[in-house]
């Protein structure tokens, strides 16, 4: 077994996500960075108390088959993982597996988070496995399209199965060591699917904000963003939603006659010279609102309450018809003030060029790989052609899916069939092929639409759900905080009860 002592916790990452028109992706990475930074005081406190958790973390590599379903192909790639034995009650303590998603994993994933809190309370061995083709677990041949053929959720689940056997052998585990998997967003779906496809390997699964239904045209995302902007429990209002609608309509109208003025107002790197550039700009502006809603109250940008405060603030400095437009300009400036970007990139040509880059820089890029998975498996395209969308109708399915043939030679006509296969393979969210999975979702999270939010069985053996009405994407996965909403605190208590119950059931020999 290849283990090495873990490096000191990385508290600030320099990620190579410079693609224009992909602000939502950047906001997601900044949320991740902020979580890493917030873990520092917790770890320092444990170090002072003599626990020194970092000393118990080891980093390793397992050589996985590139294609688990072709026995004649013996090619492998190194897959990275972390192990934390600090809380493990040998030899029969449970195993908590944190599943990596569309990005790198870190020591943080076995050092902080709600699953780590529960591991400490239940004497669990902590593991984190990086998803193939992300982070440091990339095929040595690189990210050329022909080398991405083995990037899929099916292969990732097979990786998890092999990893489970690998760890069991190296730590001399037995049936008395109960495995529970954890994940959020895409990795939350993997957590549910791992339990569904390999129930003999993992006893139960927690799936936070897990989109277990693939959807080509995910127009519901923008619709839920709009509804969340009206949610008074988190600072929203009907007036706020109206202000956002008016602002985007004003940008679109002005851009048709004075694109250079729009570019100057929003601090764009260039003036949109064609329709594709204009779509990039509108997507960028929508992403600021989307990111605010999806990660509400995570402290990375602003909250819904703060956004709505800007969008409903009347100012006498402008003509009435320009008020909404100028409030959106202010939102963009707030985003710029929190980023290190000198200007707002809107060049579609640059986006395509960056996405076609197949090199492996140290920045641990991930957007090319994730775009490939959206083309081959999931869709998830957040369009705005529905009348309920508060943004610009320029954000069409055609515009979003053009990257599939452009980058990977995948026909747009083939996408519906690919998405249908994914749902046939895993089961859609109203009937997923899972059992003993806990689905956790937030009421203001747009991704809840593709998850499971209602109980499917009344007995104690089926799947269960926890719905937190006033929280956002994956909020439950963070460690407990004094400032957490009461609903979030109660949800974590419910998660803990389910996990403890599973461990007791497993100890009693219940299948």
């Amino acid at each position: 077994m290849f283990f090495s002592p873990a490096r000191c916790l990385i508290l600030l990452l320099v990620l190579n996500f410079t693609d224009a028109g992909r602000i939502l992706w950047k906001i997601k990475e900044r949320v991740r960075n902020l979580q890493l930074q917030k873990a520092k005081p917790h770890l320092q406190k444990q170090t002072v108390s003599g626990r020194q958790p970092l000393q118990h973390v080891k980093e390793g590599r397992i050589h996985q088959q590139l294609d688990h379903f072709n026995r004649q192909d013996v090619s492998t790639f190194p897959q990275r993982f972390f192990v934390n034995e600090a809380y493990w009650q040998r030899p029969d303590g449970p195993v908590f597996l944190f599943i990596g998603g569309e990005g790198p994993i870190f020591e943080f994933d076995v050092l902080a988070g709600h699953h780590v809190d529960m591991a400490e309370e239940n004497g669990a061995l902590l593991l984190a496995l990086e998803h193939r083709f992300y982070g440091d677990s990339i095929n040595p041949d690189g990210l050329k399209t022909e080398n991405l053929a083995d990037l899929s959720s099916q292969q990732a689940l097979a990786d998890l199965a092999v990893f489970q056997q690998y760890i069991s052998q190296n730590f001399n585990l037995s049936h008395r060591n109960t495995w529970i998997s954890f994940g959020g967003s895409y990795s939350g779906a993997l957590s549910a699917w791992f339990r569904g496809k390999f129930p003999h390997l993992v006893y139960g699964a927690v799936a936070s904000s897990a989109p277990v239904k693939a959807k080509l045209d995910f127009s519901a995302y923008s619709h839920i963003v709009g509804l969340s902007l009206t949610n008074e429990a988190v600072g929203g209002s009907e007036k706020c939603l109206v202000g956002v609608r008016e602002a985007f309509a004003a940008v679109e109208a002005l851009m048709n006659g004075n694109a250079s003025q729009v570019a100057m107002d929003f601090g764009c790197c260039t003036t949109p010279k064609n329709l594709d550039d204009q779509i990039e700009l509108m997507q960028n502006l929508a992403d600021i609102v989307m990111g605010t809603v999806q990660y509400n109250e995570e402290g990375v940008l602003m909250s819904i309450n703060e956004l709505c405060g800007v969008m409903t603030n009347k100012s006498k400095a402008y003509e009435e018809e320009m008020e909404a437009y100028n409030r959106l300009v202010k939102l963009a400036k707030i985003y710029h003030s929190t980023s290190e970007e000198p200007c707002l990139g809107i060049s579609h040509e640059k986006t395509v060029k960056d996405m076609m880059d197949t090199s492996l820089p140290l920045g641990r890029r991930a957007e090319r790989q994730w775009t490939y998975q959206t083309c081959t498996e999931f869709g998830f395209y957040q369009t705005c052609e529905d009348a309920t969308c508060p943004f610009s109708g320029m954000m069409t399915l055609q515009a979003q899916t053009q990257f599939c043939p452009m980058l990977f030679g995948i026909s747009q006509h083939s996408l519906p069939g690919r998405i249908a296969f994914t749902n046939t393979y895993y089961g859609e969210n109203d009937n997923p092929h899972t059992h003993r999975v806990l689905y956790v979702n937030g009421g203001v999270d747009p991704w809840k639409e593709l998850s499971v939010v209602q109980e499917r069985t009344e007995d104690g053996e089926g799947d269960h759900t926890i719905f937190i009405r006033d929280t956002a994407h994956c909020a439950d996965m963070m460690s407990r905080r004094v400032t957490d909403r009461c609903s979030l605190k109660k949800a974590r208590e419910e998660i803990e009860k389910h996990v403890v119950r599973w461990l007791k059931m497993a100890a009693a020999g219940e299948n």
Side-chain angles (χ1 to χ4, degrees), residues 78-283:
Q79 188 171 30
R80 189 169 66 134
F81 63 90
F82 290 107
V83 178
N84 183 1
E85 303 178 54
Y87 314 120
W88 189 32
Q89 295 178 1
R90 295 172 180 269
D92 299 334
V95 181
F96 286 3
L97 171 62
F98 181 88
I99 300 173
E102 69 281 23
I105 61 170
F106 306 96
E107 295 93 336
F108 161 83
D109 294 316
V110 292
L111 286 167
H114 188 218
H115 64 293
V116 177
D117 298 338
M118 288 188 286
E120 184 174 3
E121 293 161 0
N122 293 282
L125 174 66
L126 278 161
L127 306 170
L129 181 69
E130 195 164 65
H131 195 295
R132 59 168 50 208
F133 288 54
Y134 292 99
D136 289 343
S137 302
I138 296 181
N139 176 357
D141 292 334
L143 300 178
K144 293 181 180 179
T145 300
E146 58 268 26
N147 298 328
L148 294 176
D150 297 313
L151 171 57
S152 71
S153 58
Q154 294 97 320
Q155 295 281 5
L157 293 179
D159 289 339
L160 289 167
V162 172
F163 180 66
Q164 198 270 359
Q165 296 299 305
Y166 176 83
I167 291 294
S168 295
Q169 292 173 6
N170 283 282
F171 282 86
N172 296 315
L173 304 182
S174 69
H175 67 278
R176 292 187 296 274
N177 301 101
T178 304
W179 286 66
I180 307 292
S181 63
F182 299 85
S185 198
Y186 168 48
S187 75
L190 289 173
S191 180
W193 294 333
F194 186 42
R195 166 64 190 158
K197 294 296 184 181
F198 297 93
H200 60 294
L201 298 183
V202 58
Y203 192 80
V206 178
S208 299
S209 301
V212 290
K213 179 181 181 179
K215 187 77 171 178
L216 179 61
D217 188 345
F218 189 17
S219 60
Y221 183 98
S222 298
H223 176 56
I224 298 301
V225 168
L227 290 179
S228 297
L229 291 175
T230 68
N231 188 336
E232 294 181 2
V234 292
S237 66
E238 288 289 343
K239 188 178 178 182
C240 178
L241 177 58
V242 170
V244 170
R245 287 185 183 278
E246 291 178 347
F248 276 86
V251 173
E252 205 167 317
L254 183 59
M255 190 157 55
N256 287 331
N258 195 347
S260 59
Q261 181 65 49
V262 173
M264 183 172 63
D265 290 340
F266 287 99
C268 300
C269 301
T270 56
T271 298
K273 60 185 180 181
N274 52 39
L275 178 61
D276 287 334
D277 288 353
Q278 293 179 4
I279 294 173
E280 289 279 350
L281 172 58
M282 301 308 285
Q283 181 69 62

